[in-house]
Amino acid sequence: MKPHLALKMLALAVISLSVASCSKSNDYKDSSRGTGWKVDGKNGGFKLKTDYEEQATGPGLVFVEGGTFTMGKVQDDVMHDWNNSPNQQHVQSFYIDETEVTNGMYLEYLDYLKKVFPPEEENYRNIYKGALPDTLVWRNRLGFNETMTENYLRHPAYANYPVVGVSWIQAVEYANWRSNRVNELILEEQGFTARGARFDVDASSTFDTETYLNAPTLTYGGSDSLARGGKSSARRMKQNDSTNIFVQRSDGVLLPNYRLPTEAEWEYAALGLTELRSYNVYRGRKKYPWDGSYTRSSSRRTRGDHLANFKQADGDYGGISGWSDDNADITAEVKSYEPNDFGLYDMAGNVSEWVADVYRPIVDDEFNDFNYYRGNVYTKNAIGEDGKVKVVTTDSIVYDTLANGSIIARDLPGEILQVPVDEDETYLRTQFSTSDNRNFRDGDRRSTRYFESFNDDAENPESGKKMYNSPQHRVEQDSAGTIERRYDDSNNRTSLINDEVRVYKGGSWRDRAYWLDPAQRRFLPQGMATDDIGFRCAMSRVGSKSKTGKRAR
């Protein structure tokens, strides 16, 4: 071989080896794909977490991989009220509670509130009282139900039964509390807070996730907690020895908030995955959370057994004693029946469940068919004159009086005060123009393309602006603390629907099989409660659609 030819081949081999080595090393696990700079944070450089695997599954939750399905398709629509018009929707992957929230889970919440916000203190009395379930929901004028009234919530025999008598507002507050307690434990286990810090708190030094992420020095009451007679925040907070900073959202340590599932999420999770999912779920031809069109098991080992807890017929809440019995005359202990294919229990029967959505008879899939949800009220953190976020203190708790007279705290101490978004966030935006979007495109005149505000009746400003003319019950409290209830008995009201009524899904122990269809939907004012409505929590999924991060085969 000629010398110059051998030299050229050697040079080509070196170049090929260099290119291969370069392509192999440029996996961008420790360097920027945009600049090539290191992203390890050393020498004051930018730090990016590149070894994040996936979101951890929070306590009590089950992963539900998202997808498309036919929402609102019911097999029996005897009402013909256009309440369940089928529409194709897509939901992102999310997590949802394996079971309904039980009495035991809710009692843990009440115990925390009672210890941190002692009800014997006037300033905190309504925090604990406002969270108590309404045990009087069991009473019936022609029924003897005092045993449940007195025992259902607190007796250990019912500890694993779903909690009832909880309003939509109370369910939301429980989810917020749960978010903070779970993330507080994560920080302690990861060594970011002192061991046992979550137990050593009082009303002026409670932990809030958003406060920690936005203003960590104000967590556990901050430096002002001592001035208010609270406990020191400094000895609770610890900094990560390796980074010398507080945990940030970019670290991926803390979980997203627990919340109520949207109606679309709940319905999708209730339908479950099946071997025939492309035919049943996608086409909307699935009647129950289980396979088949019957409410009894057809498998050889359990043939004839009930698959859910529901009302069989008039005066028949469980079946014949000792035979053909569903083993429950009121609610049943969670996990008494087989789960659906997602591993979720009691998505039909036992108790109906609150979901996040404001009720409207229509689901506006023409405007949105992705993660559908009606109920958005956009807020932002309140900022003080010092440029820092405003954190609610024990002296700045605001209480709201509901239409039924119940008094609840709008925000708890330690949380960041929220205010509606304004023109700074809405100007020239195409996605939203106001803070409150609950009645957006709900069928009123403003929803039409021909609406002109100057054509409204000047003498009656409400004319033509709202489609739903519902009763306006009011409760007012005077300076002496006396509550005056004003019941709206007007004959001009035409609907029970307004922006404070919420959807609840699934049949209950009081319902016939008709309501077990996951697509069925009903509504109730968000401040009311019954003996057959409970709830379960959900959590958004961040990152990949599937648990493996790869397309399912």
Side-chain angles (χ1 to χ4, degrees), residues 260-486:
L260 289 182
T262 66
E263 182 179 5
E265 288 175 336
W266 192 98
E267 188 171 327
Y268 178 83
L271 288 168
L273 294 172
T274 69
E275 295 179 358
L276 301 176
R277 61 183 176 180
S278 61
Y279 178 78
N280 285 337
V281 178
Y282 180 75
R283 298 294 182 184
R285 297 182 181 180
K286 198 164 187 293
K287 188 173 183 178
Y288 300 118
W290 52 83
D291 294 336
S293 301
Y294 303 99
T295 60
R296 292 178 181 266
S297 174
S298 60
S299 65
R300 178 178 299 180
R301 190 176 65 175
T302 59
R303 182 168 296 168
D305 288 354
H306 288 282
L307 296 173
N309 173 23
F310 64 98
K311 184 177 180 180
Q312 313 294 318
D314 287 345
D316 184 358
Y317 289 84
I320 300 174
S321 177
W323 180 83
S324 187
D325 189 7
D326 67 8
N327 201 33
D329 41 22
I330 54 168
T331 56
E333 187 173 358
V334 297
K335 294 190 176 183
S336 294
Y337 305 90
E338 291 297 315
N340 71 0
D341 292 336
F342 279 128
L344 304 176
Y345 293 85
D346 296 319
M347 296 300 284
N350 216 15
V351 292
S352 301
E353 298 177 18
W354 289 114
V355 295
D357 295 56
V358 169
Y359 175 81
R360 290 296 186 271
I362 60 172
V363 172
D364 190 3
D365 61 309
E366 292 184 0
F367 188 82
N368 183 40
D369 57 4
F370 179 74
N371 278 357
Y372 187 88
Y373 166 61
R374 178 180 289 279
N376 282 313
V377 179
Y378 298 119
T379 61
K380 61 181 180 179
N381 296 337
I383 306 298
E385 296 180 355
D386 57 358
K388 298 181 180 180
V389 295
K390 291 183 178 180
V391 177
V392 178
T393 66
T394 55
D395 300 325
S396 60
I397 306 173
V398 176
Y399 292 96
D400 291 325
T401 302
L402 305 183
N404 61 2
S406 299
I407 301 175
I408 62 170
R410 186 180 302 174
D411 301 291
L412 293 180
E415 298 177 355
I416 298 177
L417 181 65
Q418 296 295 302
V419 295
V421 298
D422 52 27
E423 190 175 338
D424 291 340
E425 287 77 27
T426 63
Y427 182 65
L428 291 183
R429 287 192 181 273
T430 57
Q431 317 99 298
F432 65 98
S433 57
T434 61
S435 172
D436 190 345
N437 297 273
R438 290 175 294 180
N439 60 7
F440 177 69
R441 281 176 58 101
D442 64 355
D444 61 1
R445 286 185 60 200
R446 289 184 180 273
S447 303
T448 69
R449 61 186 295 188
Y450 303 109
F451 174 76
E452 295 178 348
S453 60
F454 55 79
N455 283 337
D456 285 341
D457 185 352
E459 297 181 358
N460 185 9
E462 295 297 320
S463 173
K465 290 186 178 181
K466 293 183 179 180
M467 181 176 180
Y468 302 103
N469 182 23
S470 60
Q472 304 295 317
H473 307 303
R474 297 181 180 178
V475 177
E476 297 179 355
Q477 188 173 6
D478 59 23
S479 58
T482 303
I483 294 178
E484 182 180 357
R485 295 175 173 83
R486 297 183 179 180

Side-chain angles (χ1 to χ4, degrees), residues 10-29:
L10 180 61
L12 289 174
V14 171
I15 293 174
S16 299
L17 183 61
S18 300
V19 171
S21 176
C22 182
S23 61
K24 183 177 180 180
S25 62
N26 283 350
D27 53 10
Y28 300 106
K29 289 184 177 181

Side-chain angles (χ1 to χ4, degrees), residues 97-164:
D97 270 335
E98 182 182 30
T99 70
E100 298 110 341
V101 172
T102 64
N103 286 318
M105 296 166 66
Y106 202 86
L107 285 173
E108 182 184 17
Y109 167 53
L110 294 177
D111 180 72
Y112 178 92
L113 292 182
K114 192 172 185 178
K115 291 177 179 176
V116 177
F117 305 101
E120 58 270 15
E121 296 187 27
E122 182 66 27
N123 195 34
Y124 308 136
R125 180 174 302 166
N126 288 313
I127 292 179
Y128 177 74
K129 185 178 179 181
L132 286 172
D134 183 4
T135 58
L136 299 185
V137 295
W138 289 104
R139 284 183 172 170
N140 185 294
R141 282 169 288 191
L142 294 178
F144 179 70
N145 298 324
E146 289 304 294
T147 300
M148 277 81 78
T149 299
E150 298 167 355
N151 294 285
Y152 184 79
L153 174 63
R154 298 187 183 277
H155 197 284
Y158 296 110
N160 288 321
Y161 284 59
V163 66
V164 297

